[in-house]
Amino acid sequence: MKLEKLYRFAVDRFVNVGEQIASENEDVADEMREACEEAKSSGETIFNLTTSAGDSIDDGVPSAAEKSGMVRAARSLLSAVTRVLIIADSVVVKRLLKAVKKVDDRLKELEAHLSGDRQNDLKDDTLKAEMGAARSILEKSTMMLLTTSKTCLRHPDSRSAKGNREGVFKKMREAMATITSVVQDEHKEEELENGCLAMDLGEFEATLEAYKQSSPDDSEAKIKFQKAFANILDDVQSVINSPHTRKEKREKILALCENAQDIMKDILEKTQKRQE
C-alpha cells in the first residue's frame, strides 16, 4: 500500500508542475491542462486497479481483466506524460527563441549605433578590432546559446552540457563588456572635450565684454582677453589632434582657427592705435 501512495504522489506532483506551466503560458494552457487531466485520470485508474487487485487477490496473481485494465491505464499515462513533456519542451524552446531574438535585436541596435561615422570615429585600429571581434562573438553566440540550452534541457544532469552553456554565457558577457567599455570611453572623452570648450567659450565672452569696456591703460583686461582666447585655441587643438576627428573636419577647424587668430590680431592692433 505504501508503494501505491508513493506512485500517486509522484503523479500528482508531475501534474502540478504541468498545471503551473499552463497557468504561466496562455498559448499552451488548454493543451497542457488536457494532457495533465489525462495523466491524472490514468494515474488514478492505475492506483485504483492496484489497490483493488491487492485486496481481491488470493493467490497473488491478478486476473486477466485486471492485467488488461492496468496495461491500458499505463499506456494512457505514458501518452499523457509524453504530451506534457513535449509541451513543456516547446515552452522552453519558445522562451529561448524569444531570448535569442532580444539579443539579436539588441545587436542590430548596437550595430546601427556603431555603424558609419560613429564606428569610424573610434580612437584607433586596436579599438576597431576589439569592437569587430566582440560583435562577431555575440552574433555566433546567439545560436550557440539556443543549442546549448536545448542540450541542457534534454540532459539536465549533464555537467558538460551545463558547462558548455555557461561558457557561451561567459563569452557573451565578455563581448558585451568590451563593447560597453569602448562606447563609454569614447562618449566620456567627447563629453570632456566639449565641456572644457564650452566653459572656455563662456570665459572668452566674459573677458571680451570686459576688454571692450576697459580703459586704454587697463593691461589686465587685455591679458585676460588674450589668455581666454589662447585657452580656446588649446581646446580646439585637442579636437584637431584627436584620432577620431575626420580629415575634412580637421581642415575646416584649422581654417576657422586661422581666421579667428587674424581677427584677434586685428582687434588688438586697432585697440592699440586708438590708445596711441
Side-chain angles (χ1 to χ4, degrees):
M1 193 67 178
K2 185 178 180 181
L3 183 61
E4 286 86 348
K5 288 183 178 180
L6 289 174
Y7 162 78
R8 190 176 194 178
F9 174 77
V11 173
D12 288 343
R13 187 175 180 181
F14 180 82
V15 169
N16 288 336
V17 173
E19 290 176 345
Q20 183 178 354
I21 294 174
S23 64
E24 296 173 354
N25 300 272
E26 294 183 1
D27 54 330
V28 298
D30 293 339
E31 188 178 3
M32 177 62 86
R33 289 194 180 99
E34 182 182 343
C36 288
E37 190 62 34
E38 183 181 344
K40 189 175 182 180
S41 176
S42 300
E44 192 68 25
T45 300
I46 293 175
F47 175 78
N48 293 334
L49 286 172
T50 305
T51 303
S52 61
D55 294 338
S56 61
I57 294 174
D58 295 328
D59 56 359
V61 180
S63 65
E66 289 171 337
K67 286 182 179 180
S68 178
M70 188 75 72
V71 170
R72 284 196 302 270
R75 287 177 177 173
S76 178
L77 177 61
L78 179 61
S79 174
V81 168
T82 302
R83 285 181 61 196
V84 170
L85 292 175
I86 290 174
I87 296 170
D89 185 59
S90 70
V91 169
V92 174
V93 170
K94 286 179 182 178
R95 288 180 179 176
L96 289 173
L97 289 173
K98 188 176 180 180
V100 169
K101 187 178 184 303
K102 284 184 178 180
V103 173
D104 189 53
D105 290 343
R106 291 292 294 165
L107 282 174
K108 288 179 180 178
E109 291 176 9
L110 189 61
E111 184 176 2
H113 177 66
L114 296 172
S115 62
D117 294 340
R118 185 69 183 89
Q119 190 169 5
N120 292 331
D121 283 346
L122 291 175
K123 289 182 179 179
D124 52 35
D125 292 337
T126 301
L127 288 179
K128 288 181 181 180
E130 289 181 1
M131 180 69 72
R135 286 173 54 193
S136 177
I137 289 173
L138 285 176
E139 289 169 358
K140 293 177 181 178
S141 296
T142 51
M143 292 310 300
M144 289 177 62
L145 177 60
L146 176 61
T147 302
T148 54
S149 296
K150 289 174 70 175
T151 303
C152 281
L153 181 66
R154 294 191 180 98
H155 308 282
D157 298 327
S158 173
R159 290 186 178 181
S160 61
K162 292 180 179 179
N164 290 335
R165 185 183 62 179
E166 289 303 316
V168 174
F169 273 127
K170 183 179 179 181
K171 286 184 178 180
M172 294 180 74
R173 286 194 295 266
E174 290 174 350
M176 287 301 300
T178 298
I179 293 174
T180 301
S181 176
V182 172
V183 173
Q184 287 181 345
D185 286 348
E186 288 292 315
H187 184 60
K188 287 178 181 177
E189 184 174 338
E190 290 176 1
E191 283 185 342
L192 182 61
E193 291 175 355
N194 294 336
C196 291
L197 182 58
M199 290 177 61
D200 287 338
L201 281 171
E203 180 68 20
F204 175 76
E205 290 177 358
T207 57
L208 175 60
E209 288 299 320
Y211 181 62
K212 287 180 180 179
Q213 299 174 11
S214 64
S215 60
D217 57 346
D218 189 351
S219 60
E220 184 178 354
K222 179 181 178 181
I223 293 172
K224 287 183 178 180
F225 176 51
Q226 290 176 309
K227 185 177 180 181
F229 182 73
N231 288 339
I232 291 177
L233 291 180
D234 288 340
D235 293 336
V236 173
Q237 192 64 42
S238 65
V239 176
I240 294 173
N241 295 334
S242 175
H244 53 272
T245 299
R246 286 175 294 173
K247 181 180 178 181
E248 297 82 1
K249 187 177 180 181
R250 184 180 293 109
E251 291 175 351
K252 187 175 181 180
I253 293 173
L254 284 171
L256 290 172
C257 286
E258 291 177 0
N259 188 36
Q261 286 175 314
D262 291 339
I263 294 173
M264 181 70 173
K265 183 179 179 181
D266 187 55
I267 291 174
L268 293 174
E269 288 177 351
K270 288 181 179 179
T271 303
Q272 187 174 0
K273 286 180 180 180
R274 285 201 303 268
Q275 291 175 352
E276 293 174 352

PDB file of all heavy atoms in Angstrom, residues 232-261:
ATOM      1  N   ILE A 232      40.955  78.745 -25.666  1.00  0.00           N
ATOM      2  CA  ILE A 232      40.063  78.188 -26.687  1.00  0.00           C
ATOM      3  C   ILE A 232      40.875  77.491 -27.775  1.00  0.00           C
ATOM      4  O   ILE A 232      40.532  76.397 -28.230  1.00  0.00           O
ATOM      5  CB  ILE A 232      39.184  79.297 -27.298  1.00  0.00           C
ATOM      6  CG1 ILE A 232      38.177  79.791 -26.259  1.00  0.00           C
ATOM      7  CG2 ILE A 232      38.445  78.786 -28.535  1.00  0.00           C
ATOM      8  CD1 ILE A 232      37.318  80.932 -26.728  1.00  0.00           C
ATOM      9  N   LEU A 233      41.967  78.129 -28.176  1.00  0.00           N
ATOM     10  CA  LEU A 233      42.822  77.510 -29.196  1.00  0.00           C
ATOM     11  C   LEU A 233      43.389  76.177 -28.704  1.00  0.00           C
ATOM     12  O   LEU A 233      43.507  75.218 -29.476  1.00  0.00           O
ATOM     13  CB  LEU A 233      43.957  78.461 -29.578  1.00  0.00           C
ATOM     14  CG  LEU A 233      43.556  79.727 -30.349  1.00  0.00           C
ATOM     15  CD1 LEU A 233      44.791  80.560 -30.663  1.00  0.00           C
ATOM     16  CD2 LEU A 233      42.816  79.372 -31.635  1.00  0.00           C
ATOM     17  N   ASP A 234      43.733  76.116 -27.422  1.00  0.00           N
ATOM     18  CA  ASP A 234      44.234  74.854 -26.856  1.00  0.00           C
ATOM     19  C   ASP A 234      43.158  73.771 -26.890  1.00  0.00           C
ATOM     20  O   ASP A 234      43.438  72.605 -27.211  1.00  0.00           O
ATOM     21  CB  ASP A 234      44.696  75.071 -25.413  1.00  0.00           C
ATOM     22  CG  ASP A 234      45.987  75.874 -25.344  1.00  0.00           C
ATOM     23  OD1 ASP A 234      46.702  75.932 -26.366  1.00  0.00           O
ATOM     24  OD2 ASP A 234      46.273  76.445 -24.270  1.00  0.00           O
ATOM     25  N   ASP A 235      41.923  74.160 -26.528  1.00  0.00           N
ATOM     26  CA  ASP A 235      40.821  73.190 -26.552  1.00  0.00           C
ATOM     27  C   ASP A 235      40.572  72.681 -27.970  1.00  0.00           C
ATOM     28  O   ASP A 235      40.366  71.479 -28.193  1.00  0.00           O
ATOM     29  CB  ASP A 235      39.536  73.831 -26.005  1.00  0.00           C
ATOM     30  CG  ASP A 235      39.642  74.160 -24.526  1.00  0.00           C
ATOM     31  OD1 ASP A 235      40.451  73.515 -23.842  1.00  0.00           O
ATOM     32  OD2 ASP A 235      38.919  75.064 -24.065  1.00  0.00           O
ATOM     33  N   VAL A 236      40.583  73.613 -28.903  1.00  0.00           N
ATOM     34  CA  VAL A 236      40.341  73.238 -30.296  1.00  0.00           C
ATOM     35  C   VAL A 236      41.476  72.358 -30.817  1.00  0.00           C
ATOM     36  O   VAL A 236      41.257  71.428 -31.600  1.00  0.00           O
ATOM     37  CB  VAL A 236      40.178  74.498 -31.172  1.00  0.00           C
ATOM     38  CG1 VAL A 236      40.091  74.117 -32.646  1.00  0.00           C
ATOM     39  CG2 VAL A 236      38.931  75.268 -30.761  1.00  0.00           C
ATOM     40  N   GLN A 237      42.685  72.632 -30.351  1.00  0.00           N
ATOM     41  CA  GLN A 237      43.827  71.836 -30.789  1.00  0.00           C
ATOM     42  C   GLN A 237      43.685  70.375 -30.372  1.00  0.00           C
ATOM     43  O   GLN A 237      44.065  69.462 -31.107  1.00  0.00           O
ATOM     44  CB  GLN A 237      45.117  72.420 -30.196  1.00  0.00           C
ATOM     45  CG  GLN A 237      46.389  71.851 -30.809  1.00  0.00           C
ATOM     46  CD  GLN A 237      46.523  72.196 -32.281  1.00  0.00           C
ATOM     47  OE1 GLN A 237      46.247  73.312 -32.688  1.00  0.00           O
ATOM     48  NE2 GLN A 237      46.941  71.231 -33.086  1.00  0.00           N
ATOM     49  N   SER A 238      43.097  70.142 -29.182  1.00  0.00           N
ATOM     50  CA  SER A 238      42.887  68.760 -28.735  1.00  0.00           C
ATOM     51  C   SER A 238      41.887  68.047 -29.634  1.00  0.00           C
ATOM     52  O   SER A 238      41.990  66.839 -29.863  1.00  0.00           O
ATOM     53  CB  SER A 238      42.403  68.743 -27.281  1.00  0.00           C
ATOM     54  OG  SER A 238      41.121  69.337 -27.169  1.00  0.00           O
ATOM     55  N   VAL A 239      40.911  68.807 -30.148  1.00  0.00           N
ATOM     56  CA  VAL A 239      39.951  68.221 -31.088  1.00  0.00           C
ATOM     57  C   VAL A 239      40.640  67.917 -32.418  1.00  0.00           C
ATOM     58  O   VAL A 239      40.423  66.872 -33.031  1.00  0.00           O
ATOM     59  CB  VAL A 239      38.755  69.172 -31.307  1.00  0.00           C
ATOM     60  CG1 VAL A 239      37.806  68.607 -32.361  1.00  0.00           C
ATOM     61  CG2 VAL A 239      38.015  69.406 -30.003  1.00  0.00           C
ATOM     62  N   ILE A 240      41.493  68.834 -32.846  1.00  0.00           N
ATOM     63  CA  ILE A 240      42.218  68.637 -34.108  1.00  0.00           C
ATOM     64  C   ILE A 240      43.122  67.409 -34.029  1.00  0.00           C
ATOM     65  O   ILE A 240      43.220  66.618 -34.975  1.00  0.00           O
ATOM     66  CB  ILE A 240      43.057  69.893 -34.442  1.00  0.00           C
ATOM     67  CG1 ILE A 240      42.131  71.077 -34.740  1.00  0.00           C
ATOM     68  CG2 ILE A 240      43.977  69.629 -35.630  1.00  0.00           C
ATOM     69  CD1 ILE A 240      42.858  72.391 -34.904  1.00  0.00           C
ATOM     70  N   ASN A 241      43.779  67.239 -32.890  1.00  0.00           N
ATOM     71  CA  ASN A 241      44.720  66.126 -32.726  1.00  0.00           C
ATOM     72  C   ASN A 241      44.041  64.796 -32.409  1.00  0.00           C
ATOM     73  O   ASN A 241      44.697  63.757 -32.377  1.00  0.00           O
ATOM     74  CB  ASN A 241      45.715  66.447 -31.604  1.00  0.00           C
ATOM     75  CG  ASN A 241      46.601  67.634 -31.945  1.00  0.00           C
ATOM     76  OD1 ASN A 241      46.827  67.922 -33.120  1.00  0.00           O
ATOM     77  ND2 ASN A 241      47.089  68.335 -30.931  1.00  0.00           N
ATOM     78  N   SER A 242      42.741  64.841 -32.142  1.00  0.00           N
ATOM     79  CA  SER A 242      42.031  63.615 -31.784  1.00  0.00           C
ATOM     80  C   SER A 242      42.032  62.629 -32.951  1.00  0.00           C
ATOM     81  O   SER A 242      41.738  63.005 -34.089  1.00  0.00           O
ATOM     82  CB  SER A 242      40.589  63.940 -31.387  1.00  0.00           C
ATOM     83  OG  SER A 242      39.866  62.756 -31.150  1.00  0.00           O
ATOM     84  N   PRO A 243      42.345  61.356 -32.695  1.00  0.00           N
ATOM     85  CA  PRO A 243      42.371  60.354 -33.774  1.00  0.00           C
ATOM     86  C   PRO A 243      41.013  60.126 -34.422  1.00  0.00           C
ATOM     87  O   PRO A 243      40.937  59.637 -35.537  1.00  0.00           O
ATOM     88  CB  PRO A 243      42.856  59.081 -33.060  1.00  0.00           C
ATOM     89  CG  PRO A 243      43.514  59.556 -31.818  1.00  0.00           C
ATOM     90  CD  PRO A 243      42.787  60.794 -31.418  1.00  0.00           C
ATOM     91  N   HIS A 244      39.917  60.436 -33.697  1.00  0.00           N
ATOM     92  CA  HIS A 244      38.610  60.193 -34.294  1.00  0.00           C
ATOM     93  C   HIS A 244      37.977  61.458 -34.882  1.00  0.00           C
ATOM     94  O   HIS A 244      36.776  61.546 -35.052  1.00  0.00           O
ATOM     95  CB  HIS A 244      37.659  59.541 -33.274  1.00  0.00           C
ATOM     96  CG  HIS A 244      37.546  60.268 -31.975  1.00  0.00           C
ATOM     97  ND1 HIS A 244      38.392  60.037 -30.917  1.00  0.00           N
ATOM     98  CD2 HIS A 244      36.687  61.218 -31.553  1.00  0.00           C
ATOM     99  CE1 HIS A 244      38.061  60.802 -29.902  1.00  0.00           C
ATOM    100  NE2 HIS A 244      37.027  61.527 -30.259  1.00  0.00           N
ATOM    101  N   THR A 245      38.810  62.472 -35.179  1.00  0.00           N
ATOM    102  CA  THR A 245      38.348  63.639 -35.932  1.00  0.00           C
ATOM    103  C   THR A 245      38.698  63.424 -37.399  1.00  0.00           C
ATOM    104  O   THR A 245      39.866  63.229 -37.743  1.00  0.00           O
ATOM    105  CB  THR A 245      39.016  64.931 -35.418  1.00  0.00           C
ATOM    106  OG1 THR A 245      38.678  65.124 -34.047  1.00  0.00           O
ATOM    107  CG2 THR A 245      38.539  66.132 -36.221  1.00  0.00           C
ATOM    108  N   ARG A 246      37.681  63.463 -38.243  1.00  0.00           N
ATOM    109  CA  ARG A 246      37.917  63.185 -39.662  1.00  0.00           C
ATOM    110  C   ARG A 246      38.735  64.291 -40.328  1.00  0.00           C
ATOM    111  O   ARG A 246      38.758  65.432 -39.865  1.00  0.00           O
ATOM    112  CB  ARG A 246      36.583  63.009 -40.385  1.00  0.00           C
ATOM    113  CG  ARG A 246      35.902  61.681 -40.079  1.00  0.00           C
ATOM    114  CD  ARG A 246      34.547  61.605 -40.724  1.00  0.00           C
ATOM    115  NE  ARG A 246      33.624  62.581 -40.134  1.00  0.00           N
ATOM    116  CZ  ARG A 246      32.412  62.819 -40.601  1.00  0.00           C
ATOM    117  NH1 ARG A 246      31.981  62.193 -41.665  1.00  0.00           N
ATOM    118  NH2 ARG A 246      31.629  63.703 -40.015  1.00  0.00           N
ATOM    119  N   LYS A 247      39.373  63.941 -41.419  1.00  0.00           N
ATOM    120  CA  LYS A 247      40.286  64.854 -42.105  1.00  0.00           C
ATOM    121  C   LYS A 247      39.571  66.126 -42.549  1.00  0.00           C
ATOM    122  O   LYS A 247      40.077  67.242 -42.351  1.00  0.00           O
ATOM    123  CB  LYS A 247      40.901  64.145 -43.311  1.00  0.00           C
ATOM    124  CG  LYS A 247      41.893  65.007 -44.072  1.00  0.00           C
ATOM    125  CD  LYS A 247      42.466  64.247 -45.256  1.00  0.00           C
ATOM    126  CE  LYS A 247      43.429  65.141 -46.044  1.00  0.00           C
ATOM    127  NZ  LYS A 247      43.986  64.434 -47.223  1.00  0.00           N
ATOM    128  N   GLU A 248      38.385  65.983 -43.142  1.00  0.00           N
ATOM    129  CA  GLU A 248      37.649  67.151 -43.627  1.00  0.00           C
ATOM    130  C   GLU A 248      37.297  68.096 -42.481  1.00  0.00           C
ATOM    131  O   GLU A 248      37.413  69.323 -42.594  1.00  0.00           O
ATOM    132  CB  GLU A 248      36.368  66.708 -44.348  1.00  0.00           C
ATOM    133  CG  GLU A 248      36.596  65.866 -45.589  1.00  0.00           C
ATOM    134  CD  GLU A 248      36.840  64.403 -45.261  1.00  0.00           C
ATOM    135  OE1 GLU A 248      36.801  64.061 -44.056  1.00  0.00           O
ATOM    136  OE2 GLU A 248      37.072  63.614 -46.197  1.00  0.00           O
ATOM    137  N   LYS A 249      36.878  67.511 -41.375  1.00  0.00           N
ATOM    138  CA  LYS A 249      36.522  68.310 -40.202  1.00  0.00           C
ATOM    139  C   LYS A 249      37.753  69.000 -39.628  1.00  0.00           C
ATOM    140  O   LYS A 249      37.701  70.167 -39.216  1.00  0.00           O
ATOM    141  CB  LYS A 249      35.881  67.402 -39.148  1.00  0.00           C
ATOM    142  CG  LYS A 249      35.313  68.136 -37.950  1.00  0.00           C
ATOM    143  CD  LYS A 249      34.635  67.155 -37.014  1.00  0.00           C
ATOM    144  CE  LYS A 249      34.053  67.872 -35.805  1.00  0.00           C
ATOM    145  NZ  LYS A 249      33.395  66.913 -34.866  1.00  0.00           N
ATOM    146  N   ARG A 250      38.875  68.293 -39.608  1.00  0.00           N
ATOM    147  CA  ARG A 250      40.117  68.858 -39.072  1.00  0.00           C
ATOM    148  C   ARG A 250      40.563  70.062 -39.902  1.00  0.00           C
ATOM    149  O   ARG A 250      40.954  71.105 -39.357  1.00  0.00           O
ATOM    150  CB  ARG A 250      41.200  67.780 -39.063  1.00  0.00           C
ATOM    151  CG  ARG A 250      42.514  68.241 -38.442  1.00  0.00           C
ATOM    152  CD  ARG A 250      43.563  67.147 -38.450  1.00  0.00           C
ATOM    153  NE  ARG A 250      43.204  66.052 -37.569  1.00  0.00           N
ATOM    154  CZ  ARG A 250      42.828  64.846 -37.977  1.00  0.00           C
ATOM    155  NH1 ARG A 250      42.763  64.577 -39.277  1.00  0.00           N
ATOM    156  NH2 ARG A 250      42.518  63.906 -37.111  1.00  0.00           N
ATOM    157  N   GLU A 251      40.487  69.929 -41.220  1.00  0.00           N
ATOM    158  CA  GLU A 251      40.903  71.029 -42.100  1.00  0.00           C
ATOM    159  C   GLU A 251      39.999  72.253 -41.930  1.00  0.00           C
ATOM    160  O   GLU A 251      40.469  73.395 -41.948  1.00  0.00           O
ATOM    161  CB  GLU A 251      40.882  70.550 -43.553  1.00  0.00           C
ATOM    162  CG  GLU A 251      41.969  69.519 -43.858  1.00  0.00           C
ATOM    163  CD  GLU A 251      41.866  68.973 -45.267  1.00  0.00           C
ATOM    164  OE1 GLU A 251      40.848  69.268 -45.939  1.00  0.00           O
ATOM    165  OE2 GLU A 251      42.792  68.251 -45.697  1.00  0.00           O
ATOM    166  N   LYS A 252      38.713  72.010 -41.752  1.00  0.00           N
ATOM    167  CA  LYS A 252      37.779  73.114 -41.559  1.00  0.00           C
ATOM    168  C   LYS A 252      38.050  73.841 -40.241  1.00  0.00           C
ATOM    169  O   LYS A 252      38.016  75.079 -40.176  1.00  0.00           O
ATOM    170  CB  LYS A 252      36.341  72.577 -41.578  1.00  0.00           C
ATOM    171  CG  LYS A 252      35.281  73.662 -41.565  1.00  0.00           C
ATOM    172  CD  LYS A 252      33.895  73.058 -41.717  1.00  0.00           C
ATOM    173  CE  LYS A 252      32.832  74.157 -41.737  1.00  0.00           C
ATOM    174  NZ  LYS A 252      31.465  73.578 -41.895  1.00  0.00           N
ATOM    175  N   ILE A 253      38.340  73.072 -39.195  1.00  0.00           N
ATOM    176  CA  ILE A 253      38.635  73.676 -37.893  1.00  0.00           C
ATOM    177  C   ILE A 253      39.912  74.508 -37.966  1.00  0.00           C
ATOM    178  O   ILE A 253      39.992  75.614 -37.411  1.00  0.00           O
ATOM    179  CB  ILE A 253      38.763  72.582 -36.815  1.00  0.00           C
ATOM    180  CG1 ILE A 253      37.409  71.905 -36.580  1.00  0.00           C
ATOM    181  CG2 ILE A 253      39.267  73.172 -35.501  1.00  0.00           C
ATOM    182  CD1 ILE A 253      37.474  70.709 -35.655  1.00  0.00           C
ATOM    183  N   LEU A 254      40.927  73.992 -38.655  1.00  0.00           N
ATOM    184  CA  LEU A 254      42.186  74.727 -38.800  1.00  0.00           C
ATOM    185  C   LEU A 254      41.971  76.057 -39.519  1.00  0.00           C
ATOM    186  O   LEU A 254      42.531  77.095 -39.124  1.00  0.00           O
ATOM    187  CB  LEU A 254      43.198  73.872 -39.574  1.00  0.00           C
ATOM    188  CG  LEU A 254      43.856  72.729 -38.789  1.00  0.00           C
ATOM    189  CD1 LEU A 254      44.648  71.831 -39.729  1.00  0.00           C
ATOM    190  CD2 LEU A 254      44.766  73.288 -37.694  1.00  0.00           C
ATOM    191  N   ALA A 255      41.143  76.024 -40.557  1.00  0.00           N
ATOM    192  CA  ALA A 255      40.861  77.257 -41.302  1.00  0.00           C
ATOM    193  C   ALA A 255      40.140  78.274 -40.420  1.00  0.00           C
ATOM    194  O   ALA A 255      40.458  79.478 -40.441  1.00  0.00           O
ATOM    195  CB  ALA A 255      40.018  76.933 -42.535  1.00  0.00           C
ATOM    196  N   LEU A 256      39.195  77.804 -39.622  1.00  0.00           N
ATOM    197  CA  LEU A 256      38.467  78.701 -38.717  1.00  0.00           C
ATOM    198  C   LEU A 256      39.391  79.278 -37.643  1.00  0.00           C
ATOM    199  O   LEU A 256      39.265  80.450 -37.257  1.00  0.00           O
ATOM    200  CB  LEU A 256      37.307  77.946 -38.061  1.00  0.00           C
ATOM    201  CG  LEU A 256      36.140  77.579 -38.988  1.00  0.00           C
ATOM    202  CD1 LEU A 256      35.152  76.667 -38.258  1.00  0.00           C
ATOM    203  CD2 LEU A 256      35.427  78.842 -39.475  1.00  0.00           C
ATOM    204  N   CYS A 257      40.315  78.454 -37.162  1.00  0.00           N
ATOM    205  CA  CYS A 257      41.268  78.931 -36.148  1.00  0.00           C
ATOM    206  C   CYS A 257      42.171  80.029 -36.716  1.00  0.00           C
ATOM    207  O   CYS A 257      42.444  81.042 -36.051  1.00  0.00           O
ATOM    208  CB  CYS A 257      42.120  77.773 -35.642  1.00  0.00           C
ATOM    209  SG  CYS A 257      41.240  76.661 -34.537  1.00  0.00           S
ATOM    210  N   GLU A 258      42.642  79.824 -37.929  1.00  0.00           N
ATOM    211  CA  GLU A 258      43.491  80.840 -38.563  1.00  0.00           C
ATOM    212  C   GLU A 258      42.723  82.142 -38.762  1.00  0.00           C
ATOM    213  O   GLU A 258      43.257  83.241 -38.541  1.00  0.00           O
ATOM    214  CB  GLU A 258      44.003  80.314 -39.903  1.00  0.00           C
ATOM    215  CG  GLU A 258      45.009  79.177 -39.770  1.00  0.00           C
ATOM    216  CD  GLU A 258      45.430  78.626 -41.119  1.00  0.00           C
ATOM    217  OE1 GLU A 258      44.924  79.142 -42.144  1.00  0.00           O
ATOM    218  OE2 GLU A 258      46.247  77.686 -41.149  1.00  0.00           O
ATOM    219  N   ASN A 259      41.462  82.011 -39.162  1.00  0.00           N
ATOM    220  CA  ASN A 259      40.621  83.194 -39.347  1.00  0.00           C
ATOM    221  C   ASN A 259      40.403  83.915 -38.018  1.00  0.00           C
ATOM    222  O   ASN A 259      40.460  85.158 -37.944  1.00  0.00           O
ATOM    223  CB  ASN A 259      39.282  82.772 -39.952  1.00  0.00           C
ATOM    224  CG  ASN A 259      38.430  83.962 -40.349  1.00  0.00           C
ATOM    225  OD1 ASN A 259      38.946  84.987 -40.799  1.00  0.00           O
ATOM    226  ND2 ASN A 259      37.123  83.830 -40.191  1.00  0.00           N
ATOM    227  N   ALA A 260      40.173  83.135 -36.954  1.00  0.00           N
ATOM    228  CA  ALA A 260      39.962  83.722 -35.629  1.00  0.00           C
ATOM    229  C   ALA A 260      41.223  84.433 -35.139  1.00  0.00           C
ATOM    230  O   ALA A 260      41.149  85.508 -34.518  1.00  0.00           O
ATOM    231  CB  ALA A 260      39.557  82.631 -34.647  1.00  0.00           C
ATOM    232  N   GLN A 261      42.382  83.857 -35.409  1.00  0.00           N
ATOM    233  CA  GLN A 261      43.639  84.487 -34.999  1.00  0.00           C
ATOM    234  C   GLN A 261      43.857  85.811 -35.738  1.00  0.00           C
ATOM    235  O   GLN A 261      44.343  86.788 -35.150  1.00  0.00           O
ATOM    236  CB  GLN A 261      44.807  83.531 -35.261  1.00  0.00           C
ATOM    237  CG  GLN A 261      44.864  82.376 -34.268  1.00  0.00           C
ATOM    238  CD  GLN A 261      45.957  81.379 -34.616  1.00  0.00           C
ATOM    239  OE1 GLN A 261      46.103  80.973 -35.766  1.00  0.00           O
ATOM    240  NE2 GLN A 261      46.725  80.978 -33.617  1.00  0.00           N
TER     241      GLN A 261
END
